[in-house]
Amino acid sequence: MAAAVMRRGPAGWWRWHRRVAAMVCSRAMASKTPVGFIGLGNMGNPMAKNLLKHGYPVIAYDVFPEACKEFQDLGAQVTDSPADVAERADRIITMLPSSPNAKEVYTGANGILKKVKKGSLLIDSSTIDPAVSKELAKAVEKMGAVFMDAPVSGGVGAARAGNLTFMVGGVEQEFDAAKELLTCMGSNVVYCGAVGTGQAAKICNNMLLAISMIGTAEAMNLGIRLGLDPKLLAKILNMSSGRCWSSDTYNPVPGVMEGVPSANNYQGGFGTTLMAKDLGLAQISATNTMTPVPLGSQAHQIYRMMCAKGYALKDFSAVFQFLREEETL
């Protein structure tokens, strides 16, 4: 057949090639069962898109219908509730803002557990209280399904690029099944242990991130006030022992780096409200385990003050701007 096509000239060959490619793509799509995705916000949106790019049919839901329209245009099925997602898919990923949101999506009146199928794999990539993850896992287990917590690190940029790090907690025998999906959205998928350990790793990471961002903002602010050029100071820090992710990848000072929230009036990225929430989770865990976290506690208070003073919707790196304007600190 290819020879006959070639006799029709280059145009005929390209038409034939496109038809074959479409057939191959169609078969690849058919070989992959649908994946439910609930929560299409700043992080969930690019994560779900990466599943689509890898050929997985997506069944989507978000509490804000406008968030779903884009996915409908991309070929995803859109449903009216988490329960409807569970009815149509036996693998579901959730990406939600907080513990109450997660409880509602899983155990609410129209939650996943209302119609979940036995044997379903439910992966929660929200950052929530480890105790809530364990609570949800027990409820899911009673329905004959499997729950794993798999919070992420890397931010919106890594979500778009498919370079997230997933920290996974749950039954080890189910890890490979979860990893198949998570590698479509991340470059690092790490098994941490039983349910809740993924959340534990994420909480520790974000507490350190907040502390290092505040430290970077303080150092940059002090250097600028001492007469140093901010780009020069950042260059020196990043070739010295003070180097960290907050200084070399996500610098909080406007004009130092392109493509980060500080270059866009602190829009996008990881919101101050969410950082305050994660630091609150760290405080709860520290209290429950009697662990001293003095810097974590101070970071929590700073981000709570930022939320109260108009920074709630800005990226957490806006702590630099907050420190510049806050005379009482």
Side-chain angles (χ1 to χ4, degrees):
M1 180 178 177
V5 170
M6 287 299 290
R7 285 196 293 272
R8 297 175 194 167
W13 186 87
W14 278 110
R15 284 194 295 271
W16 174 78
H17 178 75
R18 284 197 294 268
R19 282 199 299 271
V20 171
M23 289 168 61
V24 171
C25 181
S26 178
R27 283 197 296 270
M29 287 283 286
S31 70
K32 293 181 176 179
T33 58
V35 177
F37 204 105
I38 299 172
L40 303 170
N42 287 342
M43 294 294 290
N45 178 296
M47 289 168 67
K49 284 179 181 174
N50 280 327
L51 284 172
L52 285 168
K53 287 176 185 176
H54 280 81
Y56 286 94
V58 169
I59 299 171
Y61 172 78
D62 193 277
V63 68
F64 298 106
E66 58 271 22
C68 297
K69 187 180 184 308
E70 181 182 8
F71 285 88
Q72 202 161 23
D73 295 340
L74 291 171
Q77 295 181 52
V78 173
T79 66
D80 295 326
S81 71
D84 289 341
V85 175
E87 189 174 34
R88 302 185 197 183
D90 56 16
R91 294 184 294 177
I92 301 172
I93 297 168
T94 53
M95 186 50 139
L96 306 162
S98 67
S99 296
N101 295 125
K103 286 183 177 181
E104 178 64 23
V105 162
Y106 279 89
T107 64
N110 292 305
I112 290 170
L113 297 189
K114 289 296 180 182
K115 294 185 179 179
V116 70
K117 293 175 277 189
K118 287 188 177 181
S120 292
L121 176 62
L122 311 179
I123 303 171
D124 182 36
S125 288
S126 319
T127 299
I128 61 175
D129 189 336
V132 173
S133 289
K134 293 174 184 177
E135 178 185 325
L136 293 177
K138 288 179 182 177
V140 169
E141 186 179 1
K142 287 179 181 177
M143 302 300 293
V146 176
F147 178 91
M148 304 189 87
D149 60 304
V152 304
S153 178
V156 174
R160 289 184 185 133
N163 291 331
L164 291 167
T165 292
F166 287 88
M167 294 150 272
V168 185
V171 179
E172 189 169 7
Q173 290 86 338
E174 300 292 341
F175 176 64
D176 286 342
K179 190 175 181 179
E180 176 195 333
L181 297 177
L182 300 182
T183 50
C184 297
M185 302 173 284
S187 53
N188 298 297
V189 182
V190 183
Y191 180 69
C192 299
V195 168
T197 56
Q199 298 294 350
K202 173 62 187 291
I203 288 169
C204 292
N205 177 78
N206 274 23
M207 184 175 73
L208 178 59
L209 174 60
I211 293 168
S212 69
M213 180 57 78
I214 293 169
T216 299
E218 288 185 352
M220 292 295 295
N221 189 33
L222 176 61
I224 291 167
R225 292 191 177 191
L226 288 171
L228 287 166
D229 175 77
K231 285 188 176 180
L232 175 64
L233 177 55
K235 180 179 178 180
I236 293 168
L237 292 176
N238 293 334
M239 62 174 63
S240 305
S241 55
R243 178 184 179 184
C244 63
W245 187 85
S246 296
S247 67
D248 71 2
T249 304
Y250 211 81
N251 199 285
V253 181
V256 170
M257 295 182 69
E258 295 296 324
V260 294
S262 63
N264 187 36
N265 194 31
Y266 300 103
Q267 300 303 308
F270 185 61
T272 293
T273 299
L274 291 176
M275 179 56 86
K277 182 262 293 184
D278 289 358
L279 289 166
L281 294 175
Q283 291 303 296
I284 292 169
S285 295
T287 299
N288 291 341
T289 57
M290 299 181 67
T291 304
V293 286
L295 294 181
S297 297
Q298 185 64 39
H300 185 214
Q301 293 306 312
I302 289 172
Y303 278 101
R304 286 182 65 192
M305 283 193 290
M306 287 177 65
C307 289
K309 296 195 175 185
Y311 291 86
L313 299 180
K314 289 185 177 288
D315 181 73
F316 81 107
S317 62
V319 66
F320 172 78
Q321 189 179 61
F322 172 74
L323 292 172
R324 294 273 285 182
E325 296 176 355
E326 187 62 34
E327 296 179 357
T328 61
L329 285 180

